[in-house]
Amino acid sequence: MTLPAPVSRRSFVVASVGAALALGVSSQAQAQAQAQAHQRGWAPFGRYGSPLARLDERTLYVHPGGLGDHSTVQAAVNAASGSGYTLVIAPGTYRETVSVSVARTEMTWVGASGEARDVVVVYDNAAGTPKPGGGTYGTTGSATTLVQADGFTARDLTFANDWLRAEHPGISGTQAVAIKVQGDRSAFVGCRFLGHQDTLYADSMALGTFARQYYRDCYVEGDVDFVFGRATAVYENCHFRTLIRDDLTGAPYGFVFAPSTAGANPRGYLVTGGRISSEAPDAYYKLARPWVPSSDTTARPMLTVRGTRMSAGIDAVEPYTNMSSGFPWQDQRFAEYRNTGPGAVVSVPENRPQLTSSEARSHTREAYLGDWTPWKGC
């Protein structure tokens, strides 16, 4: 949601391998093109079969040029009218908004190439973007992808929102969500999440619902509150990158995490074994600030960061700040354990609450995710 180098920020769309695969194949030529592709030994769906060699009846194929069952991700989601479908998505740039309803449980999306950069789902709505029928989209409505179903899994995909402040100086609602995830047992492996403000919205369907989410080997970039929400979420071996901002002249540029954990939820965000890098000058980013929404003033945001390397872009002296003076970060549930790097140096102990070894045993993926063990099957 920042305006760093607008051209380079969108280069991931242009550079996508899939752009070259958007062949515009007509429906009449689709079967012939598929057969020719197999004869040449080239398959846009890699090892995952094809419409001519379907893995099973609940596997659907998406290709931007017509070599699959559907040319858009949303069309494939709509066709998956039940539980347990897999979408195999060919390399390409899918400029669309996508919504996975609560009824489409246990759905899996797979990037066919095995490389997240090749498969990009992207759109450019912001919270303040005018809607065709009047009003604006709001934060949730800005999401490129919305997942409300339980049991959703994604592998090797990019979820992006490429709305840029510089192109819309008259819009004040600059939140622009790449993906909002609300379902329980939602897992993302080897995925990228690209945006600026509010990139990754890890949330739940309702205040009393404690949705569990698991992110492994993922990359997330942004500037303001770019990982936020009230889910119970584990980020394992993930890379978070803070962006440069040309619209600001001083610190802070933004905040990596903004959890809004419900007060009754004993588990919020856990970041483990990751790293935080930065394009920005030293100390221009805060690690986190607590989000206590007006809709839930009893929230007690919870974030534990452990075993994570922080670059100098994180303000080591004052890594936390308030979103609202009425809800100071010191009253929330923020803690760290055995982090490294210049951004993790404990120079003012009262500004960096640390877990003891005994306390750290309660802050593991197993403790946060309970009887759900996604790391064994991903």
Side-chain angles (χ1 to χ4, degrees), residues 43-127:
F45 303 105
R47 61 188 177 89
Y48 297 103
S50 74
L52 295 180
R54 199 177 301 276
L55 296 184
D56 57 56
E57 63 181 9
R58 288 182 179 264
T59 299
L60 301 177
Y61 297 88
V62 185
H63 186 282
L67 298 182
D69 300 305
H70 305 279
S71 60
T72 68
V73 179
Q74 186 64 65
V77 170
N78 292 345
S81 56
S83 181
Y85 276 84
T86 296
L87 306 189
V88 180
I89 307 174
T93 297
Y94 299 86
R95 181 161 285 278
E96 58 177 305
T97 59
V98 186
S99 179
V100 181
S101 68
V102 294
R104 291 172 167 81
T105 57
E106 312 305 326
M107 178 176 279
T108 298
W109 293 7
V110 179
S113 72
E115 172 52 63
R117 293 177 180 274
D118 293 343
V119 185
V120 180
V121 183
V122 59
Y123 209 71
D124 61 349
N125 283 329

Side-chain angles (χ1 to χ4, degrees), residues 12 19 121 178 192 200 207 213 229 275 328:
F12 66 86
V121 183
R192 296 196 308 159
L200 172 54
L207 179 59
Q213 300 174 16
R275 66 184 175 116

Side-chain angles (χ1 to χ4, degrees), residues 121 142-145 159-161 176-180 193-195 198-200:
V121 183
S142 75
T144 298
T145 301
F159 299 91
N161 189 318
V177 177
I179 187 170
K180 180 174 184 176
F193 306 92
L194 308 181
D198 293 3
T199 304
L200 172 54

Side-chain angles (χ1 to χ4, degrees), residues 19 39 91 94 136 185 244 249 287 327 372:
Q39 289 172 1
Y94 299 86
T136 57
R185 294 179 293 104
I244 195 71
T249 58
L287 179 60
F327 302 98
W372 179 48

Side-chain angles (χ1 to χ4, degrees), residues 199-213:
T199 304
L200 172 54
Y201 196 169
D203 206 51
S204 70
M205 285 295 292
L207 179 59
T209 302
F210 304 155
R212 295 165 296 175
Q213 300 174 16

Side-chain angles (χ1 to χ4, degrees), residues 134-262:
T136 57
Y137 282 98
T139 300
T140 292
S142 75
T144 298
T145 301
L146 173 65
V147 178
Q148 296 183 312
D150 290 343
F152 181 85
T153 299
R155 295 197 299 271
D156 304 322
L157 298 164
T158 293
F159 299 91
N161 189 318
D162 62 357
W163 188 90
L164 295 171
R165 296 186 186 97
E167 296 179 359
H168 305 277
I171 292 180
S172 59
T174 56
Q175 302 89 343
V177 177
I179 187 170
K180 180 174 184 176
V181 187
Q182 295 179 281
D184 186 36
R185 294 179 293 104
S186 301
F188 296 82
V189 179
C191 290
R192 296 196 308 159
F193 306 92
L194 308 181
H196 292 275
Q197 184 173 348
D198 293 3
T199 304
L200 172 54
Y201 196 169
D203 206 51
S204 70
M205 285 295 292
L207 179 59
T209 302
F210 304 155
R212 295 165 296 175
Q213 300 174 16
Y214 179 64
Y215 301 82
R216 191 184 76 197
D217 301 326
C218 291
Y219 171 85
V220 194
E221 71 177 21
D223 53 39
V224 178
D225 305 332
F226 63 93
V227 182
F228 74 115
R230 65 172 172 241
T232 293
V234 174
Y235 305 91
E236 187 171 34
N237 302 330
C238 292
H239 178 190
F240 307 90
R241 185 158 180 83
T242 62
L243 301 177
I244 195 71
R245 293 189 63 167
D246 295 339
D247 61 322
L248 297 179
T249 58
Y253 276 175
F255 322 89
V256 182
F257 302 100
S260 57
T261 321

